[in-house]
Amino acid sequence: MEPNLKFKKLRETLNLSQTAFASKIGVSQGTIGDIERGRIGISKNVKSKLIEKLGIEIGYFEHGSEEKNIEIKQGDEIGLKQDWIKSDYYK
């Protein structure tokens, strides 16, 4: 799956609108939309925000990367089991 589609899948799986996801990671809604449409790539800045705010395994966005069963943040509004979040980030 292409990185932009994985990015969109992540947002949709977290059940967040583009605006809410943008707010959560600290970027504009336009940036989220542009990434999802493939107009721009996932910048180092966005990747670092995904690590910092959500504990995302950046390798998840690489072409051909395999997904693993790992858990994400509990306690916040996000409490889902996903394949692209570092398990040790939220322990």
Side-chain angles (χ1 to χ4, degrees), residues 6-14 21 56 61 84:
K6 287 183 179 183
F7 188 85
K8 184 174 182 178
K9 178 182 174 185
L10 169 63
R11 178 185 61 79
E12 290 176 340
T13 302
L14 295 173
F21 190 56
I56 301 298
F61 294 108
W84 47 81

Side-chain angles (χ1 to χ4, degrees), residues 66-83:
E66 294 185 25
E67 298 177 0
K68 303 173 189 169
N69 242 351
I70 308 171
E71 295 192 26
I72 66 169
K73 193 171 188 176
Q74 301 293 322
D76 240 0
E77 68 273 11
I78 300 173
L80 306 170
K81 187 167 187 176
Q82 298 306 328
D83 297 335

Side-chain angles (χ1 to χ4, degrees), residues 18-68:
Q18 286 185 350
T19 302
F21 190 56
S23 177
K24 183 143 193 76
I25 65 171
V27 299
S28 72
Q29 181 275 324
T31 297
I32 301 297
D34 286 345
I35 291 170
E36 290 184 1
R37 286 184 209 85
R39 290 183 181 165
I40 61 173
I42 305 169
S43 69
K44 288 181 183 180
N45 180 46
V46 171
K47 287 179 182 179
S48 69
K49 289 175 182 288
L50 290 168
I51 292 169
E52 176 187 340
K53 305 291 184 179
L54 298 177
I56 301 298
E57 290 277 0
I58 294 309
Y60 169 74
F61 294 108
E62 302 302 320
H63 291 286
S65 67
E66 294 185 25
E67 298 177 0
K68 303 173 189 169

